[in-house]
Amino acid sequence: DTGVSQNPRHKITKRGQNVTFRCDPISEHNRLYWYRQTLGQGPEFLTYFQNEAQLEKSRLLSDRFSAERPKGSFSTLEIQRTEQGDSAMYLCASGNSGTQYEQYFGPGTRLTVT
Amino acid sequence: SQQGEEDPQALSIQEGENATMNCSYKTSINNLQWYRQNSGRGLVHLILIRSNEREKHSGRLRVTLDTSKKSSSLLITASRAADTASYFCATGPPYGYGQNFVFGPGTRLSVLP
């Protein structure tokens, strides 16, 4: 079990630039989640995939955010025209519908927008 | 909207003591989970309790759920310095209402040696 991996671990970008993060879930997991976490707060749900289908998106996910999971394996989260308010830790989690609701989290990508 | 809120926000105890954290939420749920997050590390799933369960144990962890009061508690017995972390509850929506899990702001636990 290699766990959930995320790349890059840290990203510093200038306001207005686009960034893309990658998440590799546990291989047999069909569910994949993206969350955002700011300092001192719990994770906020952004979006959810079952296999390659994006089944749920939070209202927090503005038009500048897009996520894909093209082959039902890895996923990417892209933020266009980054703003300073986008600075946060972006967490990916995966799960298996067979085990219901347990989620296994990756280490996260810390984004800093300057 | 359903929302998990932990109480207290911070807790400091001596090694060997028990730690109790509480979580309240607002709407119907399918399940409630507790996660731990160490400084600089990812979240680790600790325990899940379903809405039709009242109590669950896992090692030194004991979780209770009172759906009539919309609250849950996490008890860590015989705490260790390694238990120092933030603890979050996360509520799962009722079956058929998606996968939008809602996390509370967390309880920061410090276990002093």
Side-chain angles (χ1 to χ4, degrees), chain A residues 9 31 33 35 37 40-45 48 56 58-59 91 99-108, chain B residues 30-31 33 35 37 40-43 45 48 50 88 93 95 97-106 108:
Chain A
R9 295 291 305 276
R31 292 180 170 175
Y33 308 78
Y35 293 86
Q37 185 178 26
Q41 298 297 314
E44 293 177 294
F45 173 85
Y48 156 68
E56 201 165 349
S58 165
R59 282 171 288 179
L91 298 168
T99 58
Q100 294 276 311
Y101 302 102
E102 292 181 26
Q103 298 179 50
Y104 297 82
F105 281 81
Chain B
N30 176 284
N31 65 84
Q33 304 176 50
Y35 288 81
Q37 186 174 41
R41 297 183 61 183
L43 285 103
H45 181 269
L48 178 151
R50 301 186 192 284
F88 298 92
Y95 182 76
Y97 284 78
Q99 293 285 314
N100 186 344
F101 288 84
V102 179
F103 284 76
R108 293 181 300 282

Side-chain angles (χ1 to χ4, degrees), chain B residues 11-69:
Chain B
L11 180 61
S12 186
I13 59 174
Q14 296 293 132
E15 209 165 18
E17 294 180 338
N18 296 343
T20 299
M21 289 159 266
N22 302 297
C23 170
S24 60
Y25 57 93
K26 295 182 179 178
T27 61
S28 296
I29 61 171
N30 176 284
N31 65 84
L32 187 145
Q33 304 176 50
W34 286 91
Y35 288 81
R36 180 184 70 219
Q37 186 174 41
N38 297 97
S39 177
R41 297 183 61 183
L43 285 103
V44 174
H45 181 269
L46 295 176
I47 195 165
L48 178 151
I49 187 166
R50 301 186 192 284
S51 59
N52 60 353
E53 297 175 313
R54 292 295 167 259
E55 187 170 314
K56 208 161 181 182
H57 297 257
S58 177
R60 294 184 295 113
L61 305 180
R62 173 179 167 253
V63 169
T64 62
L65 179 64
D66 187 334
T67 53
S68 67
K69 295 182 179 177

